[in-house]
Amino acid sequence: MTQETHVTHGFRLAYGTNGLTDLRLDDALALLADLGYRGVALTLDHMHLDPLAPDLARRTAAVAARLDQLGLAVAVETGARYVLDPRRKHGPSLLDPDPDARARRIGMLTDAVTVAADLGATALHCFSGHRPEGTPDETAWSRLADSFTPLVNAATAAGVPLAVEPEPGHLLADLAGFHRLRRLLGSPDALRLTLDIGHCRCLEPDPVPDCVTAAGPWLAHVQIEDMRRGVHEHLPFGAGEIDFPPVLAALAATGYTGLLSVELPRHSHAGPQLAAESHAFLTAALADARASRPSEVPR
């Protein structure tokens, strides 16, 4: 049993495969298990469980068997930059003016719901996309709600939490935007939240621990990295401005039991090293959190 197992209890440390794109998926999973991680955030992309390649169900079953063999929980992420369009980052989006283009994104995300269900995933992550130039605010939000409706229905039927991520620069950029979408959709149980700890530091008005506390009731997936105020750049731990022990204590206090996944998507060139360093950093930060606020960080 690893040290990390003793200090987290509720949530499980994980690492995102979007930070390990230089590794084959099987090698990445084996690495994370060897380092002591208990989960993986699997980004569906051309190099890791391509959602558009043939035999998706068969390939998904093979990944599920490997995850079970390694003892890794999984969340499915859908933030691959060019999986649908090799020329447009994250295009087409759920906000594309062209309904056929929107349907391509909806179709991929619907397939991802099936993948998540077949993997026994803790959550399926997604995001809104940028508001197209010239699109009025109300039109964009209405379009987003329309696009999310079939996804919520699919997630509800599959029993998979659909965890939307507030993303800086996107239409749904912050916690207020998450609640706006929930209201537009009638607050469905399947619609949950992906909280990125770095994004809280980047743009939320409240201190990061307060953001975590406020988000607690809706959490289905949590990403973590360092970041600076006003700069959307995912940084290794210690390179930004976040004081992590209070953040981890706040997360533990919410009762969250999903994955806490390191997200360093621009650092694949040093992925294995950073995965090791990140695990050591978070294990130490959790120990510090427990020492300073023992009632909030269970053993």
Side-chain angles (χ1 to χ4, degrees):
M1 183 176 294
T2 68
Q3 182 184 9
E4 183 266 318
T5 302
H6 289 291
V7 299
T8 64
H9 249 251
F11 50 83
R12 289 161 284 184
L13 295 188
Y15 202 91
T17 61
N18 63 359
L20 295 169
T21 57
D22 291 322
L23 276 66
R24 298 177 185 87
L25 179 56
D26 191 68
D27 291 339
L29 298 179
L31 169 74
L32 297 180
D34 286 347
L35 290 174
Y37 285 96
R38 297 172 60 210
V40 58
L42 172 58
T43 295
L44 303 183
D45 206 347
H46 63 86
M47 77 291 290
H48 291 157
L49 195 55
D50 187 345
L52 303 183
D55 297 325
L56 180 58
R58 177 188 58 79
R59 291 183 289 113
T60 300
V63 172
R66 184 60 169 150
L67 290 168
D68 183 65
Q69 181 184 45
L70 294 170
L72 293 173
V74 63
V76 174
E77 297 193 349
T78 60
R81 296 182 183 94
Y82 296 101
V83 68
L84 286 177
D85 189 330
R87 294 174 177 82
R88 287 193 300 157
K89 183 180 177 181
H90 299 314
S93 78
L94 297 173
L95 297 168
D96 199 291
D98 181 353
D100 291 336
R102 291 199 302 275
R104 290 182 61 208
R105 177 66 62 174
I106 293 168
M108 192 202 80
L109 291 174
T110 302
D111 289 344
V113 170
T114 301
V115 170
D118 290 348
L119 291 176
T122 58
L124 174 66
H125 151 279
C126 61
F127 46 60
S128 69
H130 297 275
R131 178 169 65 178
E133 185 176 355
T135 303
D137 185 72
E138 291 299 324
T139 299
W141 280 100
S142 176
R143 188 178 293 162
L144 184 65
D146 288 345
S147 295
F148 259 90
T149 297
L151 301 176
V152 168
N153 292 339
T156 299
V160 175
L162 182 65
V164 61
E165 178 187 3
E167 182 76 19
H170 285 207
L171 178 69
L172 198 163
D174 52 20
L175 292 174
F178 166 72
H179 290 294
R180 181 172 180 174
L181 179 62
R182 279 187 61 81
R183 290 192 298 270
L184 287 171
L185 292 171
S187 301
D189 289 340
L191 185 65
R192 312 298 287 181
L193 175 66
T194 292
L195 185 71
D196 188 303
I197 299 300
H199 294 175
C200 294
R201 176 58 186 161
C202 178
L203 54 70
E204 293 287 351
D206 295 325
V208 179
D210 293 350
C211 292
V212 172
T213 300
W218 296 278
L219 289 178
H221 187 44
V222 181
Q223 300 167 338
I224 190 166
E225 69 286 312
D226 218 338
M227 204 168 285
R228 300 187 183 97
R229 187 71 178 166
V231 182
H232 184 204
E233 181 182 4
H234 291 234
L235 300 172
F237 297 111
E241 301 170 342
I242 299 175
D243 180 15
F244 284 96
V247 173
L248 297 172
L251 183 61
T254 69
Y256 174 66
T257 59
L259 300 187
L260 177 65
S261 180
V262 179
E263 188 181 29
L264 293 172
R266 298 185 183 277
H267 292 78
S268 283
H269 62 283
Q273 175 185 343
L274 283 170
E277 292 174 355
S278 297
H279 190 276
F281 180 94
L282 289 173
T283 299
L286 282 161
D288 289 346
R290 191 182 68 242
S292 62
R293 299 166 73 174
S295 65
E296 297 183 15
V297 186
R299 290 184 180 272

